[in-house]
Amino acid sequence: MLDIINWNASPELFSWGAFSVRWYGLAFAVGFIIGYNIVSRMFKHEGAPEKWLGILLAYVVVATIVGARLGHVFFYEWGYYSQHLSEIPKVWNGGLASHGGTIAIIIAVFLFSWLVTKKPASWTFDKLVIAIALVGGLIRLGNLMNSEIYGAETDLPWGFVFERNGETVPKHPTQIYEAVCYFILFALLMWMYWKKNAQERPYLILGVFFLGIFVPRFFIEYIKNVQVDWENDMIATYGINQGQLLSIPFILLGCALVIWAMSRPRIKMSFPNKFAEDIEAEKKRHKYVKNRE
């Protein structure tokens, strides 16, 4: 049996003078690298151009950082930042909100679809969110290394005493709870894509993603400390906090997408397992050989 865990991990992996590498940043980077390779396999599986990958990565990275930052600014601390506008770009000081990042990524994918792929947005969503589930789990582990976003007091044997923050009693390690949920979701979505060809039902994977992210988030919020003090008044009045309120639209959207996807006929797709450039080069070689004959 576990006893309480005294947690005093350094948020830095290593430092060299003024330069340092933090676990949180490493989790972000590793997640994007692995996610890039996962989406690359899917693009190749469906015969999409490889050059789209780099463009999509740029869209997602910018949307994640900008959206998560603005989400925190507007959803949680606009009262402060409205009086200190110069502080908004200072992401390194902390303050990111996953709901804001989600909204920004949705906008980015629609732009990517309209400007680059010329395909329905569902084609991109149903691949990208699989990687995002993995990244989300890794980021929560980064939050654990930062000793942030943890829960209320607990007497459970796996409670963490976050000593770096001056805590003396065990608290729920809600970062781990969320990370486990996101890793399970990642495994489920991978199974749906590779074993069940769920991409033939547009928006089904996206709908399951929204439910798998925001339903656990909604319930875990009940044992998580609030991000800003004014949420305590919100809980006293409405029984939910800001994170739960922002999760409800995504849960409803997830339900609607799953129902919509399952009510429509499956779209049969071909899977050449080659990038579009390779397919085109192969066609040219065949044409050249045929002309020679």
Side-chain angles (χ1 to χ4, degrees):
M1 292 291 293
L2 294 173
D3 199 351
I4 62 172
I5 300 169
N6 292 298
W7 187 254
N8 194 27
S10 171
E12 295 182 353
L13 176 60
F14 67 85
S15 60
W16 184 39
F19 175 78
S20 66
V21 174
R22 299 174 68 92
W23 287 104
Y24 185 88
L26 179 64
F28 232 114
V30 170
F32 272 108
I33 291 171
I34 297 175
Y36 180 91
N37 283 279
I38 290 171
V39 176
S40 175
R41 285 181 57 203
M42 294 174 179
F43 273 39
K44 183 176 181 179
H45 183 58
E46 297 185 26
E50 187 175 14
K51 63 184 179 182
W52 286 355
L53 285 164
I55 302 172
L56 178 60
L57 178 63
Y59 274 63
V60 171
V61 169
V62 173
T64 300
I65 296 173
V66 174
R69 180 57 171 174
L70 293 180
H72 178 79
V73 169
F74 290 115
F75 295 152
Y76 289 96
E77 294 195 82
W78 177 240
Y80 171 80
Y81 285 106
S82 64
Q83 304 300 316
H84 302 84
L85 296 178
S86 63
E87 296 291 315
I88 293 177
K90 298 180 180 179
V91 179
W92 53 88
N93 289 336
L96 300 173
S98 58
H99 296 91
T102 301
I103 294 171
I105 290 173
I106 290 173
I107 295 172
V109 169
F110 276 110
L111 291 174
F112 176 75
S113 300
W114 294 332
L115 301 176
V116 180
T117 70
K118 312 300 182 184
K119 291 177 176 286
S122 60
W123 185 88
T124 304
F125 276 125
D126 287 340
K127 299 169 184 57
L128 181 61
V129 295
I130 299 176
I132 291 176
L134 174 64
V135 175
L138 292 172
I139 287 175
R140 282 295 177 254
L141 295 182
N143 294 138
L144 176 65
M145 299 305 294
N146 283 346
S147 296
E148 61 188 3
I149 315 181
Y150 50 87
E153 184 175 341
T154 179
D155 57 2
L156 292 172
W158 55 80
F160 276 51
V161 179
F162 292 94
E163 296 179 346
R164 180 171 292 276
N165 293 349
E167 302 285 1
T168 58
V169 295
K171 302 294 184 73
H172 281 286
T174 50
Q175 315 98 322
I176 296 177
Y177 301 167
E178 288 191 58
V180 170
C181 292
Y182 299 165
F183 290 143
I184 292 173
L185 175 63
F186 167 69
L188 171 63
L189 297 181
M190 287 285 281
W191 175 78
M192 289 176 63
Y193 182 92
W194 292 106
K195 297 298 183 181
K196 294 299 181 180
N197 288 340
Q199 63 273 33
E200 293 184 337
R201 293 190 180 277
Y203 289 115
L204 176 60
I205 291 176
L206 178 62
V208 173
F209 168 81
F210 281 145
L211 293 174
I213 289 288
F214 292 104
V215 170
R217 171 75 184 269
F218 184 90
F219 288 105
I220 291 172
E221 287 286 336
Y222 279 115
I223 56 173
K224 187 189 293 186
N225 289 331
V226 296
Q227 291 194 43
V228 288
D229 291 338
W230 60 259
E231 287 186 274
N232 289 316
D233 294 332
M234 183 178 180
I235 294 172
T237 304
Y238 302 106
I240 59 174
N241 63 24
Q242 182 77 337
Q244 291 171 306
L245 178 64
L246 293 171
S247 295
I248 291 173
F250 292 108
I251 294 172
L252 296 176
L253 180 58
C255 291
L257 289 174
V258 170
I259 293 171
W260 186 86
M262 294 303 296
S263 66
R264 298 176 67 84
R266 181 184 288 268
I267 299 173
K268 292 300 180 182
M269 300 173 62
S270 61
F271 303 108
N273 291 311
K274 295 178 182 178
F275 285 118
E277 295 88 345
D278 297 329
I279 296 173
E280 187 63 28
E282 196 171 88
K283 288 180 179 178
K284 289 181 179 179
R285 285 196 298 270
H286 288 166
K287 184 177 181 180
Y288 175 76
V289 171
K290 185 177 181 180
N291 290 339
R292 289 284 303 266
E293 293 174 348

